[in-house]
Amino acid sequence: MGNTCAPPRERESTNNFQAYGLGEKELYDRSEVAQATRNSTAFSVPDPKAPSPVLSVPRDEQGGGWPFNIFSGNPSERAFLSVGEALGHFYQERLLPLELDSGFHQFHAVELAPAHFLARPLILTIGQYSTGKTTFIRHLIESDYPGQHIGPEPTTDRFVVVCHGEEVQKIQGNALVYDTSLPFTPLSSFGNGFLCRLECARLPSPILEGVTFVDTPGVLSGEKQRLRRGYDFEEVITWFVDQAAMVILFFDAHKLDISDEFKRCISALTGSFQKVQILLNKADRMNTQQLMRVHGALMWALGKIMESPEVARVYVGSFWDEPLEAHELAGLFEREKDDLYTQIQHLPRSATVQKINDLSRRARLVKSHALLLEHLRNSMPSIFGQAQQWEDLLRRLPSVYLEVSQKSGVPLGDFPDSESMKQKLAMTDYSKLPRLDQKKVEKLNVLLSNDIPSLLRLVPAEEF
């Protein structure tokens, strides 16, 4: 793909603050995002002329007591150029073997691409059609991009990855999944029905040096419209949610209805609500009393959908290039916009910790999954009554979770949702349940007890 994999060029800082309506005391300079990215070890670009690595670890795969040794020349140690590269190594060596053995990818999530650990933080936008997702991205990058469609009708009918490139370029989905410099290779598992609705827009932009956006199709209503997509929309959304550093849910203040498909998408955020930001968009087009009623209705509706004791932060305003209409809450809208842009500005700095956190969460899920399948396998009779015993185990799966938790010491909170797991186990051949390899479990334990804490000690305090 030519120069698409080239490292980002250094750019001069451009202070287009008025385009965002920010005050002098709360400046949002988008070039700072790019600078934060360049300073973060999670996104450092390896220099082929570099005389020595920035960190190294022992080659001993058991990982016994490894501290990082800066500029070590010890041949018994494995050298890494960044924390992100070390994370990728530990995933491949400590976690992936158990994922493959236990069939984790068939039950929960596909294998992570090597580029995932070095990728820029991903911002996923989700919302019903004409809620302002595409306009929001265009507003931030201050440029049109290939594949952009804006209108009052359902215009964006595909997933568009908007990322940095040295020149404007459009990459179709079937080619994108073979670009190993980007973390989207696992998307090939969704087949041509999805890949023909996936594309990547690369273009030079200061903010894209720090983050990558994903513009999604407008969520539809009605079963016929859902089936017409040709792929499982909610499953694809779940994959992107797992990869994202931030998920922004868009709501139009003038049409607050939430379709069934949108509800299912929001439900897919379970376990990732810490990533979620909510935008109540186009708010300057209604008066204060109407806006208060709409805000209250949105909070009530989300409280019924989100399985969380606290609803995520709701940003109220109009996030586009057009000047705001005269409104008594204009000052509030500007402060809300400032707060959201500050959250985006901090993403590159906190991306390393986010990736460590996500890997830790995934490792705990893999461990609970593997121990659960081992317990189910050991609970099956050798010859007679297997089908009946399998049905009984699935029927009382929450109790089985408790048994495994008490036996292994794994917290109940690490286990997957019992109803979802029950449905997947019902389609599983119980005669082919894998045998647990304790050595691979020990490697995973080393990842959780040794490797991840050691990596966290290397992350600068300002990135937390």
Side-chain angles (χ1 to χ4, degrees):
M1 295 189 184
N3 62 356
T4 57
C5 299
R9 291 195 300 256
E10 294 291 331
R11 298 182 179 274
E12 293 181 359
S13 178
T14 56
N15 300 326
N16 297 322
F17 306 122
Q18 276 66 36
Y20 294 92
L22 305 184
E24 290 295 324
K25 295 183 178 180
E26 293 182 328
L27 300 179
Y28 175 74
D29 179 3
R30 290 175 301 166
S31 64
E32 290 182 5
V33 178
Q35 187 61 45
T37 301
R38 288 191 288 269
N39 292 340
S40 172
T41 54
F43 308 115
S44 59
V45 180
D47 181 359
K49 298 180 181 179
S52 56
V54 298
L55 48 88
S56 55
V57 301
R59 292 183 183 275
D60 176 19
E61 293 305 324
Q62 297 304 315
W66 68 269
F68 279 103
N69 296 313
I70 305 301
F71 306 115
S72 173
N74 190 336
S76 66
E77 294 180 336
R78 172 68 184 267
F80 299 102
L81 290 163
S82 68
V83 174
E85 187 182 340
L87 277 173
H89 168 77
F90 291 133
Y91 172 69
Q92 292 285 332
E93 297 293 331
R94 311 269 203 252
L95 187 53
L96 183 58
L98 188 57
E99 287 186 4
L100 295 172
D101 268 16
S102 64
F104 179 84
H105 302 149
Q106 288 72 44
F107 282 86
H108 303 288
V110 298
E111 179 180 342
L112 294 176
H116 166 80
F117 300 98
L118 296 170
R120 295 175 174 91
L122 197 72
I123 299 177
L124 178 66
T125 63
I126 308 175
Q128 298 185 165
Y129 70 88
S130 192
T131 52
K133 303 184 298 298
T134 304
T135 304
F136 172 78
I137 296 174
R138 188 200 175 285
H139 169 60
L140 280 179
I141 66 177
E142 286 190 327
S143 173
D144 292 333
Y145 56 86
Q148 166 191 310
H149 299 285
I150 298 174
E153 71 284 353
T155 49
T156 303
D157 64 346
R158 59 195 63 224
F159 286 79
V160 182
V161 177
V162 186
C163 64
H164 182 266
E166 295 303 314
E167 58 186 26
V168 177
Q169 183 183 26
K170 181 178 178 179
I171 307 172
Q172 298 295 340
N174 277 286
L176 178 64
V177 295
Y178 289 101
D179 186 346
T180 56
S181 69
L182 295 172
F184 305 112
T185 53
L187 289 172
S188 60
S189 64
F190 294 111
N192 280 329
F194 167 69
L195 294 181
C196 68
R197 296 293 182 182
L198 171 69
E199 58 189 42
C200 175
R202 306 193 79 155
L203 66 157
S205 169
I207 194 171
L208 293 180
E209 291 186 46
V211 295
T212 295
F213 292 94
V214 177
D215 190 8
T216 63
V219 180
L220 303 174
S221 58
E223 187 67 10
K224 284 186 178 180
Q225 292 166 307
R226 186 182 72 85
L227 294 175
R228 215 166 56 199
R229 291 192 190 276
Y231 60 91
D232 191 325
F233 182 75
E234 289 99 45
E235 189 176 347
V236 173
I237 286 290
T238 299
W239 185 89
F240 275 107
V241 167
D242 289 340
Q243 311 303 308
M246 178 184 289
V247 180
I248 304 180
L249 299 180
F250 282 77
F251 293 90
D252 187 333
H254 299 268
K255 47 180 183 180
L256 207 56
D257 58 307
I258 303 177
S259 68
D260 291 340
E261 187 177 49
F262 197 14
K263 289 178 182 177
R264 291 193 294 269
C265 290
I266 296 174
S267 297
L269 298 172
T270 302
S272 302
F273 287 134
Q274 75 279 2
K275 302 178 180 180
V276 176
Q277 310 292 337
I278 299 172
L279 262 64
L280 184 57
N281 205 7
K282 308 179 185 179
D284 66 324
R285 304 298 171 94
M286 56 175 52
N287 62 45
T288 303
Q289 185 179 28
Q290 292 172 327
L291 186 57
M292 290 180 63
R293 289 174 178 170
V294 168
H295 183 273
L298 175 61
M299 298 296 288
W300 179 82
L302 290 176
K304 294 177 63 178
I305 301 171
M306 288 184 159
E307 297 179 3
S308 174
E310 294 183 2
V311 177
R313 165 79 182 271
V314 177
Y315 296 89
V316 182
S318 295
F319 302 85
W320 51 19
D321 289 329
E322 296 182 27
L324 298 180
E325 291 192 1
H327 201 287
E328 59 186 318
L329 295 179
L332 171 65
F333 295 158
E334 294 296 345
R335 289 192 295 273
E336 292 282 277
K337 190 181 291 187
D338 292 356
D339 288 349
L340 177 61
Y341 295 161
T342 299
Q343 290 289 328
I344 295 175
Q345 178 186 358
H346 289 164
L347 281 182
R349 294 190 179 96
S350 60
T352 305
V353 176
Q354 180 68 53
K355 290 184 187 299
I356 294 175
N357 177 72
D358 289 347
L359 186 64
S360 173
R361 185 162 58 92
R362 185 181 178 105
R364 295 168 74 93
L365 178 60
V366 170
K367 182 177 180 179
S368 66
H369 168 81
L371 292 173
L372 172 65
L373 293 193
E374 175 72 359
H375 180 86
L376 292 174
R377 193 183 69 82
N378 292 336
S379 300
M380 295 295 291
S382 301
I383 302 177
F384 301 109
Q386 290 184 338
Q388 183 177 357
Q389 174 68 357
W390 185 247
E391 290 179 4
D392 180 64
L393 287 170
L394 297 188
R395 180 181 53 80
R396 59 182 190 88
L397 192 59
S399 300
V400 173
Y401 279 9
L402 184 60
E403 294 170 12
V404 178
S405 175
Q406 292 175 341
K407 180 180 178 180
S408 63
V410 174
L412 278 174
D414 289 355
F415 288 86
D417 177 72
S418 59
E419 286 302 317
S420 175
M421 191 65 180
K422 185 186 298 184
Q423 294 175 9
K424 294 171 183 175
L425 286 170
M427 298 183 290
T428 302
D429 185 350
Y430 51 77
S431 66
K432 297 181 180 179
L433 291 176
R435 184 182 297 274
L436 186 64
D437 187 336
Q438 286 295 337
K439 290 184 178 179
K440 293 176 181 177
V441 176
E442 291 171 8
K443 283 189 175 184
L444 186 149
N445 288 335
V446 169
L447 171 68
L448 290 171
S449 61
N450 267 17
D451 301 337
I452 288 178
S454 298
L455 282 172
L456 282 171
R457 287 195 291 271
L458 288 170
V459 179
E462 62 268 18
E463 294 190 16
F464 283 87

